[in-house]
Amino acid sequence: MDTNFPYTQSYKKIPEFFQAVQNAAIPDKVTQKVLGDTFGFKGTNDRTLIGVLKGLGFIDAAGVPTSKYSDYKIPSKAKIILGESIKNCYEALYQKNEKFHTLSEEEIKGLFASTTGKDAGNKALNQMIKTFLELRGLAVFDTVQKIEDVPMKQEPVSIPTSKGGKDFVLTHTIVLNLPASTDQKVYDTLFKSIKENLL
């Protein structure tokens, strides 16, 4: 399993860089020239940001954007896509703890060190950890939505039986399976439609 995790000396610029990825048009290839001219990251250390995109599967080995790159540009999906990409990229660490992203910084450092075999003071290891921590702050990892019982207006329906018998009553409950989304507008539209059409 791959333990050659991506890292960048410019890890502090990761939030700004991924915002630029969302804002700019999708390039044919992500090159050093595109990194500088399109995204505005012209420093020598900034070049390693391209490696982070490769590690996450946002671009292929040739620098060509993948479907993940395109999906990340959709605001309502961006954090979810990044979370899934992080889990794939750091699979070796998630094999040891499936909730790796919830661990404390010290626990994360320990697992990085034991998984990579690098000493705690190793410069590259430190940059791997810092890169992961910055990425973690931009992602959503737990997107499974529960099936929720949405209380609707329940009006008893009396159905008469044969003469002399007692009526029996039926009620109904609507169960709504909510879609996974970080866009509040999705839910606002959904519940507005329910109110207008079902209540």
Side-chain angles (χ1 to χ4, degrees), residues 53-181:
L53 290 182
K54 287 181 181 178
L56 292 170
F58 278 32
I59 58 176
D60 63 19
V64 177
T66 65
S67 59
K68 284 185 179 181
Y69 190 113
S70 301
D71 289 342
Y72 184 72
K73 286 179 60 62
I74 303 172
S76 62
K77 297 176 66 174
K79 290 185 177 182
I80 295 171
I81 293 298
L82 184 56
E84 293 172 350
S85 300
I86 288 173
K87 286 184 175 181
N88 290 334
C89 178
Y90 297 91
E91 183 181 3
L93 295 164
Y94 277 90
Q95 285 291 326
K96 295 185 176 182
N97 191 318
E98 63 181 4
K99 294 290 186 180
F100 179 68
H101 55 273
T102 67
L103 301 180
S104 68
E105 188 168 338
E106 286 305 310
E107 290 172 323
I108 286 172
K109 287 179 179 179
L111 275 182
F112 260 103
S114 63
T115 303
T116 61
K118 299 183 184 297
D119 296 332
N122 183 276
K123 186 175 181 180
L125 176 63
N126 181 61
Q127 291 172 353
M128 285 182 190
I129 295 166
K130 294 296 186 182
T131 297
F132 172 80
L133 292 173
E134 290 291 341
L135 290 171
R136 179 181 72 169
L138 302 177
V140 167
F141 297 91
D142 302 310
T143 59
V144 177
Q145 300 287 327
K146 294 180 180 179
I147 295 178
E148 307 220 6
D149 289 338
V150 180
M152 299 296 176
K153 187 184 297 181
Q154 297 185 14
E155 297 182 357
V157 179
S158 296
I159 300 179
T161 60
S162 59
K163 186 176 181 180
K166 292 183 178 180
D167 294 350
F168 64 92
V169 177
L170 295 177
T171 61
H172 64 277
T173 300
I174 296 174
V175 177
L176 179 66
N177 189 4
L178 296 176
S181 176

Side-chain angles (χ1 to χ4, degrees), residues 36-56:
D37 295 348
T38 302
F39 297 142
F41 293 84
K42 300 181 178 182
T44 301
N45 290 339
D46 295 344
R47 296 173 185 174
T48 49
L49 289 166
I50 295 176
V52 175
L53 290 182
K54 287 181 181 178
L56 292 170

